[in-house]
Coordinates of all heavy atoms in Angstrom, one line a residue:
H326 N -37.1 -28.1 -38.1 CA -36.4 -27.4 -37.0 C -37.0 -26.0 -36.9 O -37.4 -25.4 -37.9 CB -34.9 -27.3 -37.3 CG -34.1 -27.0 -36.1 ND1 -33.9 -25.7 -35.8 CD2 -33.5 -27.7 -35.2 CE1 -33.1 -25.7 -34.7 NE2 -32.9 -26.9 -34.3
K327 N -37.0 -25.5 -35.7 CA -37.7 -24.2 -35.4 C -36.9 -23.0 -35.8 O -37.5 -21.9 -36.0 CB -38.0 -24.1 -33.9 CG -39.1 -25.1 -33.5 CD -39.4 -25.1 -32.0 CE -40.6 -25.9 -31.6 NZ -40.6 -27.2 -32.0
G340 N -39.5 -47.9 -35.8 CA -38.8 -47.3 -34.6 C -37.6 -46.5 -34.9 O -36.9 -46.2 -34.0

Side-chain angles (χ1 to χ4, degrees):
H326 195 272
K327 291 178 170 54

